[in-house]
Amino acid sequence: MECNGAVIMHGMEDDPDLQFLLSGAGLVKVRSSSWKKTRFFKLQEDCKTMWHESKKTLRSKQTFSVEDIDSVRSGRQTEGLKKYTEEALDPRVFSILFKGRRKNLDLIANSEGEAKHWVSGLEKVIFNLSNLSQQSKTEHWIYNCLRKADINCDNKMSPQELINFLHDINIEVDDEYVQMLIEKCDQSKCGSLEGEEIQHFYEILTQREEIDVIYGAYAKTEGMLSAANLLDFLQKEQKEQVDLSYAAQLIEKYEVDETAKAKQQMTKDGFLMYLHQPEGLIMNPAHKRVYQDMQQPLNHYFISSSHNTYLMEDQLKGPSSTEAYIRALMKSCRCVELDIWDGSDGEPVIYHGYTLTSKILFKDAIKAIKEYAFKTSEYPVILSLENHCSVEQQKLMAHHMTSILGSALVTKPLGDHMPTELPSPEDLKRRFLIKGKRLNKLEASLSDQASAEEEESVTEEEDCRDDEEESEKNLSGKSKTLKLAKELSDIVIYCKSVKFQGFEHAQTHQAFYEMCSFKEGDAFKFAEKSAFEYIHHNVDKLSRIYPSAFRTDSSNYDPVPLWNAGCQIVALNFQTPGPEMDLNQGLFGQNGLCGYVLKPSYLRDKASEFDPITLTRGPWLKHKELHVMVISAQQLPKVSQKMASVVDPLVRVEIHGVPADETEKETRHIQNNGFNPMWNENFQFDLYVPELALVRFVVEDYDAVSNNDFIGQCTVPFTSLQNGYRHVPLFNENGDLLSSAGLFVHTMVVNAE
């Protein structure tokens, strides 16, 4: 076991950027125009922890993990640096952005060269950390915990230091157990462990009994797996239709012992390495890339969508930020909302009207959207406009969008003739669509007859009631009539907002490019009471759903019943973690994280008789049995509110889909072991509409007197599950990967018809 940062920085020992980070340097920390203070920053020897000088007394506040960094941006790219630094400083400034809700670090380096060292060095460390094998992550983490537990720094582990160490890695043990471990490893009989004895202790600690059993059952060639043995395992246990050459490729790819690899054999370490790779994880790796037909009309896809995208927190007094747009777009959100109001200096602003939320400039939001829209996905982004502006500022809005977005903005229908259906995501790659009100029919834009009037009265009662406006009007006691600028109207092409006046009216009067927005309450009522009609409406028309205006805490509704009804744009508060966002991340985690998921055929067919409530017979009924054995977990983190306490983990397996499929089952809890708990519990689930089902694995810390505490989760579309022995990666409440934690399960899908 390597006992320093070399395990992370292998091959980078002489890298000048790394050496600079390890030596450290002063940086000016920027918080406001008046708060700019020099602090010393350096990378610690573990190559995983950043230390910085702090005037605070709490020592724990002086470090942060490189794994908590979301990204490093050079130049004046954050709101803080744009606001509080001069343009001339651009080559010397950079920002560290964190996962979750932690505030950015805006920093000024001593020189342009030092700024490049910081940015390049941190990016290299982040890259190397993210590409460590699971075994290396475990070694590195355990070594750091051992070093921390060695209080007197004598490179020995006393019984009390071992107890402290085990507690730190989430295992609670008694003195008797520690004494037994020491006796097993203490060859020098001195009552403590050092050198190779600590190495032996590490091997005992990290032994995976369940892997030993599986490996032993198939390792029939000199005690190891030959390519033929591995193929036997892949076909019998993993239910994979592969050949001998594929098994040989896995050995070549993942075997860690060169001698074994030369003999085309796989050791137990190589086998464990394979089980932690994409081929061994719960989700089909083929579904991690774009695998669906992307040439269907837009209305045939579920589209990852955000509500009040500009908010970082709640809807009443929380901050608005361009950073919120960046975060949503980087999570493959493809429909963002802009709530635009007249700014006091003539520039339109974005904020939650009639509240104390802070304001950002509309043009700054458009610039951020332009820069980050296609970094995660190349597929189109819809800008959903909630327009409360005067005609003059609407003209400025249109100017900003056309000048900033340029040719990427769709300003006329594709092709030379009037289309009869929406274009496909493939047709619209790297393009922006505007969703909003329009003065005339789209057909008029292709004729010589321009709108006779520059502007037209549009009241909420007359138009689409994109009903956030109506709800805010009711909450504020104010009502108004808006006029619509022709310049803004003319760039609304494929997503014209119209008022919903019933399914029958929509079938006869609503054009393919016209769409309705439904407030949460109405949408759920239609999904439950009129599912058949709602599904038919959504076959050829886009629908957008948004949370109730009374969700002032930015909470979310369950999106699944609305997906079941074929609704495409089910907008959620991306800034609010919880089960609803987990399900959204699970659905859109497939198809290359592109933000578009093709709806099942029975949600795209005008002749479909599918109803998720009554479930009449049809091609959607495919009775499957899902057998899940929850075997074990590895390196579960402590719950942040209870860092002094070792967790008592349990696992719950949930099925989300049509009402007939919704269910959950959970294991018993394991006391005082978050490091390597083992359950070996079997569950069976019956699913009837598998194409709409999501499987959610949840790990919680059991609490006998209050609600259990969330530890981590993973949500996978049922159709993306892999059979056999699989590791399940876990994500924290913000949707970020827990780097070392995971579940180990066995799954099997059986046709029950």
Side-chain angles (χ1 to χ4, degrees):
M1 186 170 67
E2 293 189 68
C3 295
N4 54 45
V7 70
I8 294 177
M9 294 297 111
H10 181 66
M12 272 186 65
E13 291 81 2
D14 298 322
D15 184 271
D17 293 327
L18 177 62
Q19 294 306 316
F20 177 83
L21 263 60
L22 290 168
S23 299
L27 289 166
V28 176
K29 191 173 171 182
V30 179
R31 285 189 179 167
S32 69
S33 55
S34 59
W35 201 103
K36 296 176 183 175
K37 299 185 180 179
T38 301
R39 298 285 185 260
F40 191 83
F41 284 73
K42 74 184 293 273
L43 181 67
Q44 295 190 327
E45 287 182 8
D46 65 358
C47 292
K48 186 179 178 181
T49 308
M50 285 293 296
W51 177 90
H52 59 96
E53 179 186 8
S54 174
K55 300 304 179 187
K56 294 180 179 178
T57 54
L58 283 175
R59 186 171 178 80
S60 61
K61 298 287 186 185
Q62 290 180 218
T63 62
F64 60 85
S65 173
V66 175
E67 289 185 306
D68 292 335
I69 298 175
D70 181 67
S71 61
V72 184
R73 294 190 200 146
S74 59
R76 298 165 65 250
Q77 292 200 54
T78 61
E79 289 169 7
L81 286 176
K82 286 176 183 174
K83 194 172 181 181
Y84 304 129
T85 63
E86 299 167 3
E87 195 170 339
L89 285 173
D90 193 76
R92 287 171 50 198
V93 300
F94 67 97
S95 301
I96 297 174
L97 289 90
F98 294 96
K99 298 170 183 175
R101 291 189 174 182
R102 181 171 176 169
K103 289 182 179 177
N104 306 342
L105 268 178
D106 290 330
L107 303 162
I108 307 173
N110 295 320
S111 67
E112 182 178 348
E114 286 196 7
K116 287 178 179 176
H117 276 312
W118 280 113
V119 173
S120 179
L122 283 170
E123 286 177 341
K124 288 173 184 175
V125 174
I126 292 166
F127 177 81
N128 280 21
L129 263 175
S130 64
N131 285 279
L132 278 182
S133 70
Q134 192 68 29
Q135 185 175 351
S136 294
K137 287 179 184 176
T138 300
E139 285 185 7
H140 192 263
W141 176 63
I142 288 178
Y143 163 71
N144 285 322
C145 291
L146 280 168
R147 191 174 62 172
K148 181 180 168 186
D150 185 12
I151 299 166
N152 59 4
C153 300
D154 63 355
N155 293 320
K156 296 181 181 179
M157 298 299 291
S158 68
Q160 187 55 52
E161 286 174 334
L162 273 181
I163 289 173
N164 294 343
F165 160 72
L166 291 168
H167 189 278
D168 205 32
I169 66 167
N170 224 348
I171 310 175
E172 192 76 64
V173 295
D174 54 29
D175 294 349
E176 210 172 287
Y177 180 75
V178 170
Q179 198 54 47
M180 181 270 288
L181 280 176
I182 287 179
E183 287 174 5
K184 200 178 245 188
C185 303
D186 183 15
Q187 295 174 342
S188 60
K189 307 298 180 189
C190 66
S192 62
L193 305 183
E194 60 181 313
E196 290 185 2
E197 295 169 344
I198 294 176
Q199 177 75 26
H200 184 35
F201 168 72
Y202 165 80
E203 289 166 357
I204 292 173
L205 194 66
T206 56
Q207 184 178 3
R208 293 276 302 274
E209 183 185 333
E210 69 275 33
I211 301 297
D212 293 349
V213 171
I214 300 163
Y215 182 79
Y218 287 90
K220 304 297 184 187
T221 307
E222 301 174 8
M224 288 190 279
L225 285 172
S226 65
N229 298 153
L230 180 57
L231 178 63
D232 196 25
F233 168 79
L234 294 171
Q235 292 177 337
K236 288 182 179 175
E237 300 291 351
Q238 311 297 73
K239 307 298 180 187
E240 294 182 22
Q241 297 179 337
V242 293
D243 57 18
L244 192 63
S245 66
Y246 177 79
Q249 285 170 22
L250 287 181
I251 293 173
E252 181 63 31
K253 201 171 178 183
Y254 298 125
E255 178 49 52
V256 293
D257 184 293
E258 292 300 326
T259 305
K261 187 189 288 189
K263 297 165 72 173
Q264 278 211 333
Q265 293 176 346
M266 184 176 264
T267 61
K268 189 163 57 181
D269 284 345
F271 182 64
L272 184 57
M273 176 76 80
Y274 146 72
L275 285 172
H276 277 297
Q277 300 304 316
E279 295 92 338
L281 298 183
I282 189 70
M283 185 169 176
N284 184 345
H287 290 190
K288 283 285 190 180
R289 53 184 179 268
V290 175
Y291 71 98
Q292 295 179 334
D293 177 6
M294 300 304 289
Q295 296 185 322
Q296 303 272 335
L298 276 184
N299 46 288
H300 285 180
Y301 297 84
F302 298 124
I303 303 171
S304 182
S305 307
S306 164
H307 171 253
N308 286 354
T309 314
Y310 48 90
L311 290 178
M312 298 289 282
E313 296 173 16
D314 66 70
Q315 322 254 327
L316 294 180
K317 57 185 187 305
S320 304
S321 173
T322 56
E323 193 59 43
Y325 285 100
I326 295 169
R327 291 186 182 191
L329 292 166
M330 293 300 285
K331 288 186 174 182
S332 300
C333 178
R334 298 292 89 185
C335 179
V336 297
E337 184 181 24
L338 300 96
D339 210 340
I340 315 117
W341 301 76
D342 278 355
S344 56
D345 61 353
E347 277 288 348
V349 295
I350 293 175
Y351 82 111
H352 200 46
Y354 311 120
T355 70
L356 299 175
T357 57
S358 63
K359 300 173 182 178
I360 55 175
L361 291 177
F362 174 76
K363 65 180 178 183
D364 286 347
I366 298 299
K367 286 175 184 175
I369 290 167
K370 167 72 184 297
E371 184 171 353
Y372 287 91
F374 306 116
K375 287 187 182 292
T376 304
S377 167
E378 287 194 300
Y379 289 98
V381 170
I382 301 169
L383 307 185
S384 180
L385 304 185
E386 282 293 325
N387 170 24
H388 309 266
C389 291
S390 62
V391 169
E392 285 310 307
Q393 293 206 18
Q394 287 181 43
K395 290 178 180 178
L396 203 48
M397 285 167 55
H399 169 73
H400 288 324
M401 287 189 284
T402 52
S403 62
I404 294 168
L405 301 179
S407 60
L409 179 65
V410 174
T411 56
K412 61 181 182 179
L414 305 187
D416 300 324
H417 306 287
M418 180 63 195
T420 56
E421 63 178 16
L422 291 172
S424 71
E426 194 68 32
D427 294 333
L428 293 165
K429 264 187 173 179
R430 303 187 74 85
R431 302 295 298 274
F432 294 95
L433 300 176
I434 305 300
K435 173 195 163 293
K437 298 166 185 173
R438 185 181 169 91
L439 292 170
N440 54 16
K441 292 281 187 183
L442 183 61
E443 291 82 349
S445 70
L446 294 179
S447 71
D448 294 331
Q449 300 173 353
S451 176
E453 295 181 27
E454 284 272 311
E455 53 200 56
E456 175 181 305
S457 291
V458 181
T459 66
E460 290 130 16
E461 289 74 22
E462 290 169 345
D463 210 294
C464 76
R465 293 210 240 167
D466 232 7
D467 288 290
E468 281 129 310
E469 292 180 15
E470 185 196 3
S471 301
E472 283 157 6
K473 175 193 71 177
N474 293 339
L475 286 171
S476 65
K478 299 178 182 177
S479 180
K480 63 182 185 305
T481 297
L482 285 176
K483 288 188 173 182
L484 187 59
K486 181 178 182 297
E487 291 87 343
L488 188 58
S489 166
D490 284 352
I491 57 175
V492 175
I493 306 300
Y494 290 117
C495 298
K496 177 186 176 182
S497 297
V498 297
K499 176 186 173 183
F500 180 70
Q501 299 183 61
F503 293 120
E504 193 173 327
H505 181 274
Q507 284 298 322
T508 55
H509 291 81
Q510 194 172 320
F512 72 90
Y513 56 83
E514 294 178 323
M515 61 176 290
C516 302
S517 287
F518 300 84
K519 55 188 172 189
E520 167 191 338
D522 289 344
F524 274 95
K525 182 178 68 178
F526 292 141
E528 186 177 348
K529 306 292 185 187
S530 310
F532 183 78
E533 291 87 349
Y534 209 6
I535 286 167
H536 276 252
H537 175 82
N538 291 324
V539 165
D540 55 5
K541 296 173 182 65
L542 286 172
S543 289
R544 176 178 177 268
I545 322 300
Y546 59 89
S548 163
F550 296 102
R551 289 185 181 271
T552 54
D553 59 351
S554 291
S555 59
N556 280 310
Y557 53 81
D558 180 3
V560 172
L562 304 171
W563 291 329
N564 292 343
C567 299
Q568 300 91 345
I569 303 177
V570 180
L572 297 177
N573 289 304
F574 268 53
Q575 72 272 28
T576 306
E580 300 83 10
M581 275 305 298
D582 295 342
L583 295 170
N584 196 78
Q585 185 175 4
L587 176 68
F588 292 104
Q590 63 179 314
N591 206 31
L593 285 170
C594 78
Y596 288 81
V597 169
L598 187 65
K599 297 197 287 185
S601 58
Y602 45 83
L603 292 178
R604 297 181 272 127
D605 181 4
K606 288 184 179 180
S608 174
E609 296 183 3
F610 174 67
D611 186 322
I613 309 299
T614 60
L615 278 192
T616 53
R617 293 196 68 80
W620 47 85
L621 273 183
K622 300 171 184 173
H623 185 191
K624 307 275 187 185
E625 286 179 5
L626 170 62
H627 298 265
V628 178
M629 183 182 189
V630 179
I631 301 171
S632 62
Q634 298 77 44
Q635 292 163 252
L636 300 176
K638 293 183 179 182
V639 175
S640 56
Q641 306 93 296
K642 305 176 179 175
M643 289 306 284
S645 173
V646 170
V647 299
D648 303 325
L650 61 81
V651 179
R652 184 169 61 255
V653 184
E654 304 170 352
I655 308 295
H656 297 264
V658 299
D661 291 347
E662 294 254 347
T663 188
E664 62 181 47
K665 296 178 181 180
E666 70 181 35
T667 67
R668 70 193 187 284
H669 69 276
I670 303 292
Q671 281 195 314
N672 292 329
N673 187 351
F675 182 73
N676 55 3
M678 191 171 289
W679 292 274
N680 289 321
E681 292 193 36
N682 290 286
F683 302 130
Q684 180 186 324
F685 302 93
D686 288 281
L687 290 89
Y688 297 92
V689 187
E691 286 176 291
L692 288 174
L694 297 166
V695 183
R696 183 170 181 252
F697 298 88
V698 191
V699 186
E700 292 181 341
D701 179 16
Y702 173 76
D703 195 315
V705 295
S706 63
N707 291 336
N708 295 343
D709 292 299
F710 176 86
I711 294 175
Q713 70 84 38
C714 178
T715 303
V716 183
F718 177 83
T719 52
S720 297
L721 287 177
Q722 295 207 95
N723 282 306
Y725 290 102
R726 302 292 175 183
H727 278 108
V728 181
L730 293 175
F731 299 84
N732 66 17
E733 62 175 7
N734 292 311
D736 298 315
L737 183 68
L738 293 167
S739 65
S740 299
L743 292 174
F744 188 55
V745 302
H746 184 276
T747 60
M748 183 168 60
V749 176
V750 178
N751 290 323
E753 294 177 314

